[in-house]
Amino acid sequence: QVQLVESGGGLVQAGGSLRLSCVASRKIFIDNAMAWYRQAPGKQRELVAQISLSGTTRYVESVKGRFTISRDNAKNTVYLKMDSLKIEDTAVYFCGGGRWFEAPGYWGQGTQVTVSS
C-alpha cells in the first residue's frame, strides 16, 4: 500500500531550481511532521528539512537559505523548493513522515535529483 509518493526530481544545471512534491495519505499527513531526506552514492541518508504540524521548520546547515520546505494541508502534500542548486546536492531525495525531531516511520520511494556543472 503506497502511502507517500514523491515527484519533481530530474536533471538540472548548477545554479538552477527544482521543486519536489510528496503526496501522502491523509492519515499520515495529519498525524505527522513531514520531512525530506537525501542519500548520495556511498553516503548515509541525511535529513534535509523537516516541517512540523504547526509549520515550524528546520534545515540542515548546507541548504539553509537555498531550500524551502512547505506543506499544503488541503492537498496532503509537502514540498521542497530547491534554489541555487549545487553539484553536491545530487542525491536520491526521500519524503518521510514521523514525529518531530525523530526519524520518519513512513517513507516514499525516492526521486533522483542530479545537478550538473
Side-chain angles (χ1 to χ4, degrees):
Q1 168 183 356
V2 178
Q3 296 182 308
L4 295 169
V5 180
E6 302 101 331
S7 62
L11 174 64
V12 63
Q13 285 191 324
S17 298
L18 282 175
R19 189 180 77 159
L20 306 183
S21 300
C22 171
V23 181
S25 65
R26 184 67 178 163
K27 184 66 168 70
I28 291 175
F29 195 83
I30 64 173
D31 285 347
N32 290 280
M34 300 300 295
W36 287 96
Y37 281 68
R38 66 186 178 188
Q39 187 167 18
K43 295 189 177 182
Q44 289 189 328
R45 191 174 297 190
E46 66 168 353
L47 173 70
V48 176
Q50 190 181 32
I51 184 166
S52 72
L53 287 165
S54 63
T56 302
T57 59
R58 64 186 185 112
Y59 299 89
V60 67
E61 192 65 33
S62 61
V63 308
K64 285 182 180 178
R66 300 189 297 122
F67 290 11
T68 303
I69 189 171
S70 61
R71 60 192 296 160
D72 185 333
N73 294 333
K75 296 182 178 180
N76 300 334
T77 301
V78 60
Y79 302 99
L80 185 68
K81 181 67 168 33
M82 305 185 292
D83 296 315
S84 302
L85 281 161
K86 303 177 180 180
I87 292 175
E88 52 263 40
D89 293 320
T90 295
V92 178
Y93 283 70
F94 297 89
C95 174
R99 292 180 179 271
W100 181 244
F101 263 95
E102 294 184 11
Y106 303 96
W107 291 100
Q109 81 287 354
T111 185
Q112 176 71 46
V113 172
T114 303
V115 184
S116 65
S117 59

